[in-house]
Amino acid sequence: MIEQRLSDARGLGDHGWLRSRHTFSFANYWDPKQTGFSDLLVINDDRVSGGRGFGAHPHSNMEIISYVLDGSLAHKDSMGTGSVIVPGDVQLMSAGSGVTHSEFNNAKEAGVHFLQIWVVPAEKGTAPGYQQVSVADGEKRGQFKLIISPDGAEASLKIKQDVRIFAGLFDGGEQQTISLPENRYAYIHVARGSITVNGVTFGEGDGARVRNESELTFSDGKEAEVLLFDLRPIEVNHPTR
């Protein structure tokens, strides 16, 4: 079953310098039917104006992924990490027992467009950590590339949960069929462009919960960038953020 959630159904936070679409309940957006899916808690589609950003703020017991689509995002944290992430980069910060970080768009005029994704960790109170990798477009072209996994397979970033995240680029005749592991859930998020999945058309910002499907066929992409999440088959209500 593919349970589609269209882009316009997402929550909206518009703060002038920040325009954010929330796939799941977040901040002032609350929908009791949209409190995450399995261990996936947040997908925020953020657009930040030039010269603006998120000041230093704390997190704990959360796996936080940043995936830049356009522009560049400067990161600093209390672990002493400082980096700039650009399209193709994947960043994973394990907040663990506690970390403070900031994210800023240093460009004077150009905006930055990125996804921030939160995954609930398997254990609380672990040591915080930071990882980053750059994935070339060629590794994602017409196929899914593993970017995050619990064991760091295929040079992916290592997450503290039984979750695997894949990224793919599809255009024209490019097509891939993914066999889903038995007794697993999946989540689809189309970051940009459009694509067809098992005959269902997805546009930019659309997503879907996937249950009881043995395979997914991605085809008819139009400049599509897609994230695919392989998740534990659990139904969990996350009442707080």
Side-chain angles (χ1 to χ4, degrees):
M1 179 178 69
I2 298 177
E3 180 186 341
Q4 191 178 44
R5 179 165 166 76
L6 298 178
S7 175
D8 289 347
R10 299 176 298 173
L12 173 64
D14 192 343
H15 307 279
W17 64 272
L18 167 66
R19 184 177 174 86
S20 182
R21 281 287 190 177
H22 309 308
T23 293
F24 304 115
S25 293
F26 185 86
N28 294 328
Y29 167 61
W30 173 251
D31 183 339
K33 296 181 180 179
Q34 302 295 339
T35 57
F37 182 53
S38 180
D39 298 302
L40 178 60
L41 184 62
V42 166
I43 302 178
N44 285 349
D45 188 339
D46 292 340
R47 297 175 185 268
V48 180
S49 298
R52 301 298 298 268
F54 304 90
H57 57 283
H59 291 285
S60 61
N61 298 315
M62 196 62 62
E63 301 290 289
I64 299 173
I65 299 143
S66 295
Y67 187 99
V68 173
L69 296 164
D70 290 298
S72 62
L73 189 69
H75 166 95
K76 292 183 179 179
D77 62 45
S78 55
M79 296 177 286
T81 306
S83 66
V84 176
I85 55 175
V86 297
D89 290 347
V90 185
Q91 177 197 87
L92 171 59
M93 186 178 74
S94 298
S97 57
V99 66
T100 298
H101 79 137
S102 64
E103 296 163 300
F104 204 80
N105 178 11
N106 287 321
K108 292 183 178 180
E109 297 182 3
V112 60
H113 180 199
F114 75 105
L115 302 177
Q116 186 163 107
I117 299 160
W118 293 8
V119 172
V120 178
E123 297 181 52
K124 293 184 177 181
T126 59
Y130 179 91
Q131 303 167 68
Q132 182 175 331
V133 69
S134 181
V135 182
D137 282 359
E139 297 183 76
K140 298 176 286 186
R141 174 55 56 200
Q143 63 184 352
F144 280 103
K145 164 66 176 173
L146 181 66
I147 59 172
I148 289 178
S149 69
D151 56 3
E154 301 176 25
S156 61
L157 302 182
K158 190 172 181 179
I159 195 169
K160 296 176 180 178
Q161 184 53 273
D162 183 10
V163 169
R164 290 165 182 82
I165 305 176
F166 303 81
L169 301 172
F170 297 90
D171 195 41
E174 295 169 340
Q175 176 176 313
Q176 186 176 23
T177 296
I178 296 289
S179 296
L180 299 178
E182 189 175 359
N183 298 320
R184 296 285 288 184
Y185 286 172
Y187 194 85
I188 299 164
H189 180 80
V190 178
R192 58 180 157 197
S194 64
I195 197 164
T196 298
V197 186
N198 288 15
V200 180
T201 300
F202 287 76
E204 181 171 321
D206 293 348
R209 292 172 167 88
V210 180
R211 305 177 182 89
N212 302 317
E213 294 282 346
S214 60
E215 60 182 28
L216 296 173
T217 297
F218 294 79
S219 61
D220 301 315
K222 295 180 181 179
E223 299 182 347
E225 186 158 3
V226 186
L227 295 182
L228 177 64
F229 300 78
D230 169 23
L231 302 162
R232 295 192 299 158
I234 58 173
E235 300 288 343
V236 177
N237 181 39
H238 300 285
T240 59
R241 299 171 291 284

